[in-house]
């Protein structure tokens, strides 16, 4: 079973006809994965919420009808015995955007039948109310739309941050795939060397050159090498299957083309300057901006309500229906109304609560800035360290390979032993495994750093 698994893996690696690079994987992931579709839909929902908050300026139409009947002869103040009234009314009102003014247009028609004598009353009126202090220029009317606009901008930044974190996690998985491919190759070499050493020790045992305990120990090393290869092969299959499903790719083509030892030239930044405008910190700025906008309205609501009122009406009366549209009287009115509540007020409490919330956000933002600066500095230090280590590991790898060549030359000239050649190869292969793991960590740190400075997903 092990031979079949390892054979299939290495056939795929050797053919490598349909492989995929890190950039290609990233593009397919963003284009095909439903996670990014969800982010797009979430942004569209926020845009609709913003539009719906502006509906306060739409016209509101109202219609009504009523009938009233009054009968009796006992009330001396009433100049009739029977009164049957029918009334129809149609009105439209709206709030005028950016002014806070309210307009109400009303038309009503009333028919009165007094003791079988009919009369018609036809009224058309326009009323206009303009706030002069509280809600001046529609400040409070616009609260919902202003908050919705801030929410939309905050959502767009938040979605980018979520997408970047998700993309970084999946790119790190891709790097793991590339690393596992190399680990499987390394373990295959370890198994071949263990087999070669076992064959050599069996020959020595037959010639009574070593004890049986040494042979048993080598057999144990060989079994452990088989276990390592089997485990790493299974992990590679699982990783390949997961990433192939992630981007709707053929599993057999999910072969990472990746230079683990590539050293990257990264963008240099000043962490303190960058963090102040980073996406991770902008969420605090948006939260505070929303509170500041609410605070303006809460403070405005603590002021007296002073409204300037204008009215214009036209009334026509006639015993005929169409006649009521003529013979009209006109009137207008201008007035001011003032109101101011006394005692404990909810708006004053809202002001105090909002100011506390703003101070709390300032503290959270400061803490987040300190944490993010530390994180970026740590990633920069890790990038510098690992990039230098990768270079050193490559040099050490070259030295290990030179040692293998030297032992092979000595063995070929009968100045060395085959066991020393195998030992040199095993040491070189073991060292290479360490280098691979460090190189993989370096590549993932580069991805994390690029995400931390908002450059991974734009």
């Amino acid at each position: 079973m092990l031979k079949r698994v390892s054979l299939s893996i290495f056939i795929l690696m050797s053919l490598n006809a349909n492989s995929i690079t890190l950039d290609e994987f990233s593009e397919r992931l963003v284009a095909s994965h439903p996670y990014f579709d969800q982010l797009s839909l979430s942004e569209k929902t926020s845009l609709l919420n913003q539009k719906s908050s502006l509906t306060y300026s739409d016209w509101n139409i109202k219609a009504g009808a009523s009938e009233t009947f009054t009968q009796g002869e006992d009330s001396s103040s009433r100049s009739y015995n029977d009164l049957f009234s029918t009334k129809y009314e149609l009105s439209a009102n709206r709030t005028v955007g950016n002014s806070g003014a309210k307009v109400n247009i009303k038309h009503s028609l009333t028919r009165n039948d007094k003791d079988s004598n009919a009369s018609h009353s036809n009224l058309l009126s326009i009323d206009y109310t303009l706030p002069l202090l509280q809600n001046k220029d529609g400040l409070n009317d616009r609260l919902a739309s202003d908050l919705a606009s801030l929410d939309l901008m905050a959502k767009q930044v938040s979605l980018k941050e979520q997408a970047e974190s998700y993309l970084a996690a999946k790119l790190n998985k891709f790097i793991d795939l590339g690393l596992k491919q190399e680990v499987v190759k390394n373990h295959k070499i370890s198994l071949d060397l263990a087999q070669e050493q076992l064959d050599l020790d069996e020959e020595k045992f037959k010639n009574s050159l070593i004890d049986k305990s040494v042979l048993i120990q080598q057999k144990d090393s060989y079994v452990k090498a088989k276990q390592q290869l089997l485990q790493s092969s299974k992990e590679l299959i699982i990783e390949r299957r997961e990433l192939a499903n992630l981007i709707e790719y053929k599993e057999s083509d999910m072969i990472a083309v990746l230079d683990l030892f590539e050293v990257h030239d990264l963008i240099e930044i000043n962490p303190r300057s960058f963090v102040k405008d980073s996406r991770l910190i902008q969420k605090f700025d948006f939260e505070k901006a929303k509170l500041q906008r609410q605070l303006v309205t809460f403070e405005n609501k603590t002021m007296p309500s002073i409204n300037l009122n204008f009215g214009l009406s036209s009334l026509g009366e006639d015993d005929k229906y169409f006649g009521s549209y003529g013979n009209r009287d006109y009137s207008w009115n201008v007035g001011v109304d003032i109101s101011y509540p006394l005692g404990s007020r909810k708006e004053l409490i809202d002001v105090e609560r909002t100011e506390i919330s703003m101070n709390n956000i300032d503290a959270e933002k400061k803490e987040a800035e300190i944490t993010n600066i530390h994180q970026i500095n740590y990633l920069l230090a890790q990038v510098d360290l690992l990039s230098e280590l990768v270079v050193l590991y490559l040099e050490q790898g070259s030295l290990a390979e030179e040692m293998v060549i030297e032992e092979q030359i000595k063995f070929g000239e009968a100045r060395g032993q085959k066991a020393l050649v195998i030992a040199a190869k095993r040491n070189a292969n073991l060292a290479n495994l360490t280098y691979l793991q460090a190189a993989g960590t370096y590549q993932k740190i580069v991805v994390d750093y690029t995400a931390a400075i908002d450059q991974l997903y734009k």
Side-chain angles (χ1 to χ4, degrees):
M1 175 63 185
L2 172 61
K3 291 182 178 179
R4 289 200 299 271
V5 171
S6 59
L7 180 61
S8 63
I9 289 172
F10 284 102
I11 288 176
L12 287 172
M13 289 183 179
S14 61
L15 292 177
N16 207 10
N18 295 309
S19 54
I20 184 168
T21 65
L22 184 68
D23 289 339
E24 290 170 345
F25 175 80
S26 176
E27 291 173 2
R28 285 187 65 94
L29 180 66
V30 173
S32 64
H33 198 276
Y35 180 83
F36 293 93
D37 291 335
Q38 293 174 24
L39 295 182
S40 177
L41 292 173
S42 180
E43 183 177 4
K44 290 180 180 178
T45 301
S46 297
L47 184 60
L48 289 175
N49 290 339
Q50 182 199 30
K51 290 181 178 179
S52 68
S53 67
L54 298 173
T55 57
Y56 71 87
S57 61
D58 289 346
W59 283 100
N60 181 34
I61 307 298
K62 181 181 179 181
S66 64
E67 291 186 349
T68 306
F69 177 71
T70 305
Q71 183 182 37
E73 300 177 355
D74 296 334
S75 297
S76 58
S77 62
R78 191 163 54 237
S79 59
Y80 54 86
N81 295 326
D82 300 320
L83 174 63
F84 189 85
S85 298
T86 302
K87 184 176 183 181
Y88 303 95
E89 184 175 285
L90 180 66
S91 64
N93 62 79
R94 67 168 294 178
T95 299
V96 181
N98 300 323
S99 71
K102 291 180 172 56
V103 178
N104 185 51
I105 302 174
K106 183 174 68 173
H107 175 260
S108 64
L109 177 64
T110 305
R111 175 188 170 91
N112 293 317
D113 287 301
K114 294 181 181 179
D115 300 328
S116 301
N117 294 318
S119 67
H120 298 81
S121 176
N122 193 312
L123 175 66
L124 177 64
S125 65
I126 300 176
D127 295 303
Y128 183 84
T129 302
L130 179 67
L132 301 180
L133 191 57
Q134 189 180 125
N135 197 34
K136 183 181 179 182
D137 299 325
L139 177 68
N140 302 335
D141 291 335
R142 295 196 311 272
L143 176 61
S145 62
D146 289 346
L147 292 180
S149 297
L150 290 170
D151 273 330
L152 177 60
M153 291 186 288
K155 190 71 171 180
Q156 291 171 334
V157 172
S158 176
L159 292 177
K160 284 186 178 180
E161 187 64 22
Q162 292 177 49
E164 192 159 52
S165 297
Y166 183 84
L167 184 59
K170 299 311 176 185
L171 292 184
N172 282 336
K173 295 283 286 182
F174 184 86
I175 293 171
D176 282 334
L177 174 63
L179 178 59
K180 283 180 170 61
Q181 290 175 176
E182 297 301 320
V183 168
V184 168
K185 292 179 183 179
N186 185 278
H187 287 168
K188 180 62 169 61
I189 294 173
S190 294
L191 180 61
D192 292 340
L193 292 172
Q195 179 68 67
E196 191 174 351
Q197 183 65 51
L198 179 59
D199 293 340
L200 181 62
D201 286 351
E202 286 178 341
E203 185 66 27
K204 287 182 178 181
F205 179 72
K206 288 179 182 179
N207 296 324
S208 302
L209 296 176
I210 60 172
D211 295 333
K212 188 174 182 179
S213 60
V214 177
L215 180 61
I216 294 173
Q217 185 177 6
Q218 184 53 43
K219 286 182 177 180
D220 181 65
S221 297
Y222 175 75
V223 172
K224 288 180 179 178
K226 288 179 67 175
Q227 291 173 342
Q228 280 186 325
L229 179 58
L230 178 62
Q231 181 177 352
S232 60
S233 299
K234 289 292 187 182
E235 290 176 355
L236 176 59
I237 291 172
I238 293 171
E239 191 82 28
R240 176 172 292 147
R241 183 172 299 153
E242 177 185 349
L243 294 185
N245 290 334
L246 199 64
I247 61 172
E248 299 179 355
Y249 211 60
K250 287 178 63 177
E251 186 178 339
S252 59
D253 294 342
M254 196 67 225
I255 300 172
V257 178
L258 182 66
D259 181 8
L260 291 171
F261 291 94
E262 180 184 0
V263 178
H264 300 271
D265 293 326
L266 300 179
I267 300 174
E268 295 185 5
I269 63 166
N270 182 319
R272 289 188 177 276
S273 300
F274 164 77
V275 162
K276 294 183 182 299
D277 297 318
S278 66
R279 286 200 291 254
L280 207 58
I281 297 302
Q282 283 180 29
K283 70 176 184 179
F284 296 103
D285 295 332
F286 283 117
E287 287 299 319
K288 186 172 182 180
K290 287 192 287 185
L291 289 174
Q292 287 174 325
R293 178 61 185 89
Q294 289 177 318
L295 181 63
V296 171
T297 285
F298 292 150
E299 289 177 338
N300 181 261
K301 287 183 176 180
T302 63
M303 299 179 179
S305 176
I306 303 177
N307 296 318
L308 181 62
N309 303 309
F310 299 92
L312 180 65
S313 65
S314 171
L315 177 64
E317 293 183 336
D318 196 84
D319 57 351
K320 303 296 183 181
Y321 169 73
F322 289 104
S324 67
Y325 285 91
N327 304 319
R328 308 191 69 83
D329 293 332
Y330 298 93
S331 65
W332 58 266
N333 68 81
V334 178
V336 176
D337 61 67
I338 302 174
S339 65
Y340 186 74
L342 301 177
S344 178
R345 299 185 57 186
K346 175 181 178 299
E347 288 76 16
L348 294 174
I349 298 175
D350 289 336
V351 168
E352 186 176 359
R353 183 189 296 113
T354 304
E355 289 174 342
I356 293 173
S357 297
M358 290 172 61
N359 292 333
N360 187 54
I361 285 180
D362 286 337
E364 290 179 354
K365 178 182 176 182
K366 186 65 176 178
E367 182 182 7
E369 287 179 350
I370 294 172
T371 301
N372 292 339
I373 290 172
H374 172 73
Q375 180 191 14
I376 292 175
N377 284 329
Y378 171 78
L379 290 172
L380 281 171
Q382 288 293 101
V383 166
D384 291 341
L385 172 63
L386 288 169
S387 60
E388 292 177 7
L389 285 177
V390 166
V391 174
L392 290 175
Y393 286 158
L394 288 173
E395 293 178 4
Q396 290 177 332
S398 298
L399 293 174
E401 290 298 327
E402 287 182 20
M403 181 62 70
V404 171
I405 294 171
E406 181 63 25
E407 291 295 338
Q408 287 175 330
I409 292 172
K410 289 168 64 178
F411 178 71
E413 296 176 349
R415 293 186 296 112
Q417 302 177 15
K418 187 176 182 179
L420 294 178
V421 176
I422 296 174
K425 289 181 177 179
R426 295 175 80 169
N427 288 335
N429 195 54
L430 182 61
N432 186 52
L433 182 61
T434 303
Y435 310 156
L436 286 170
Q437 291 169 340
T441 302
Y442 167 73
Q443 299 299 330
K444 289 195 283 188
I445 288 291
V446 168
V447 170
D448 292 340
Y449 173 74
T450 308
I453 62 172
D454 298 342
Q455 295 297 315
L456 189 63
Y457 183 84
K458 298 180 182 180

